[in-house]
Amino acid sequence: MSVRRLAPDHVQPASFAFTAANENWADQQIAKYPEGRQASAVIPLLWKAQEQHHGWLPRAAIEAVAKKLGMAPMRVLEVATFYTMFNLQPVGEHFVQLCGTTPCALRGAEALKKVCEEVIGPQSTVTADGKLSWLEVECLGACCNAPMAQINFDYYEDLTPENFRKLLGDLREGRPVKPGPQVDRSCSEPLGGGETLKDAALYDGSMIGAGDWQARITTQREEAAIKIASEKAAAEAKAKAEAEAAAAASKAGPTDVKTTPAPEAAAPGRPKPSAPKQPANAAQDTPSATGKAIKDTPAKAPARKRAAKPKSEE
């Protein structure tokens, strides 16, 4: 991005003040913002100041805007030097901004630069009569009609060295000019004319009411209404059934609820019967010599010994 500086002191005016009409306009712009946010109107006010001062911003205009908005002059200067929409040098009555970006360059913008240098002079130079000045700029968004230039507020497209030279001459002499494409085409349609919508009946309104399209649309609307009504009725019936079921469940007491035993298949698995266990003393039954089991008999408790009599009693 190129460095942007204010114009030299010898071209700077001593002062700047909005006209009464522009002062009123500026007050209306400031009123759009809440108290304490007046600085948000800095760009509109700078634009109006540039418009009033022959298309460029002098230092005095920047300071006047800063004072009106209660901003530091440096803050306003930062805005003015950042945006290329603000011209910091004097410009001609017809300010030519020539696009030099790739699409225009491929379509002949370099030849147009030579025309500007021959007719006007170097960039940022104003002709002696004050009518013309020019500057190369970045893309202006009319690539379909490249190469092109913006002159003041209008676009001039499909330029060639011949028609561009003629255009500059007409502007200098005050003759009427035609913005837009400088060749025989409308807007950005293909050269030689459009290739689509050639049947005028497609857009001249003559087909309105033709055929049965109105009846078809009416039928579609009726079918859609029937479908919506049926879906609504089904939803209401379902909601009613659910509400009745919930009411019946809430009325039923604990004794009213019947429980059924779980089926055999659902009951937990029962253990299979096993062989009867032997008695605990079965292992102690040992066969005798005669083949009969000798059963254990409970052991007799040992006899209690009688206490010895004392010798005195003998």
Side-chain angles (χ1 to χ4, degrees):
M1 185 175 180
S2 61
V3 177
R4 290 164 47 81
R5 293 190 172 93
L6 297 177
D9 290 341
H10 69 274
V11 298
Q12 294 284 349
S15 62
F16 173 89
F18 282 115
T19 63
N22 288 343
E23 187 79 27
N24 180 61
W25 181 91
D27 292 337
Q28 293 178 8
Q29 301 305 308
I30 296 172
K32 294 179 180 178
Y33 303 97
E35 185 66 27
R37 299 292 183 178
Q38 291 82 4
S40 299
V42 62
I43 290 180
L45 266 62
L46 285 175
W47 182 256
K48 182 59 70 173
Q50 175 173 281
E51 185 181 86
Q52 177 179 316
H53 193 73
H54 314 297
W56 70 285
L57 272 177
R59 180 188 293 108
I62 294 174
E63 293 172 350
V65 170
K67 183 178 180 180
K68 188 169 185 63
L69 296 177
M71 298 174 62
M74 179 56 66
R75 300 292 292 176
V76 182
L77 182 63
E78 289 172 349
V79 176
T81 56
F82 180 81
Y83 292 103
T84 56
M85 61 189 281
F86 298 120
N87 303 315
L88 305 180
Q89 305 285 336
V91 297
E93 180 181 338
H94 303 286
F95 179 41
V96 180
Q97 298 180 75
L98 180 65
C99 179
T101 316
T102 304
C104 285
L106 294 174
R107 295 277 293 169
E110 290 297 323
L112 301 182
K113 292 180 188 178
K114 293 180 180 179
V115 172
C116 287
E117 292 171 350
E118 294 171 2
V119 176
I120 303 173
Q123 292 191 57
S124 302
T125 299
V126 183
T127 57
D129 57 6
K131 294 291 185 179
L132 299 172
S133 67
W134 78 284
L135 182 70
E136 181 181 352
V137 297
E138 297 301 318
C139 183
L140 292 172
C143 306
C144 292
N145 301 72
M148 58 81 61
Q150 177 182 344
I151 303 179
N152 292 346
F153 300 111
D154 295 319
Y155 276 16
Y156 296 85
E157 305 155 342
D158 298 307
L159 297 173
T160 64
E162 295 74 23
N163 63 27
F164 187 42
R165 189 183 297 272
K166 180 179 182 303
L167 174 64
L168 295 178
D170 291 341
L171 290 171
R172 170 174 274 172
E173 299 300 327
R175 290 189 289 266
V177 295
K178 180 180 76 71
Q182 301 301 298
V183 296
D184 187 19
R185 71 165 164 178
S186 174
C187 300
S188 56
E189 69 179 9
L191 290 172
E195 297 297 330
T196 60
L197 302 178
K198 291 187 174 182
D199 185 359
L202 295 174
Y203 52 83
D204 63 4
S206 60
M207 296 297 293
I208 296 177
D212 59 349
W213 65 273
Q214 291 176 319
R216 184 174 65 254
I217 292 177
T218 301
T219 302
Q220 292 175 351
R221 289 176 177 174
E222 291 175 351
E223 292 175 351
I226 293 172
K227 182 179 179 181
I228 292 173
S230 62
E231 291 177 351
K232 181 179 179 181
E236 291 177 349
K238 181 180 179 181
K240 182 178 179 181
E242 292 176 350
E244 292 176 351
S250 63
K251 290 180 180 179
T255 57
D256 296 337
V257 180
K258 297 181 179 181
T259 57
T260 56
E264 187 68 22
R270 298 177 179 176
K272 294 182 179 180
S274 58
K277 295 183 179 181
Q278 295 180 350
N281 56 0
Q284 298 177 5
D285 293 345
T286 55
S288 64
T290 59
K292 293 181 180 181
I294 301 174
K295 296 183 179 181
D296 292 340
T297 56
K300 293 182 179 180
R304 295 171 61 185
K305 294 182 178 182
R306 295 175 64 184
K309 292 181 180 182
K311 293 181 179 182
S312 60
E313 294 181 359
E314 291 179 355

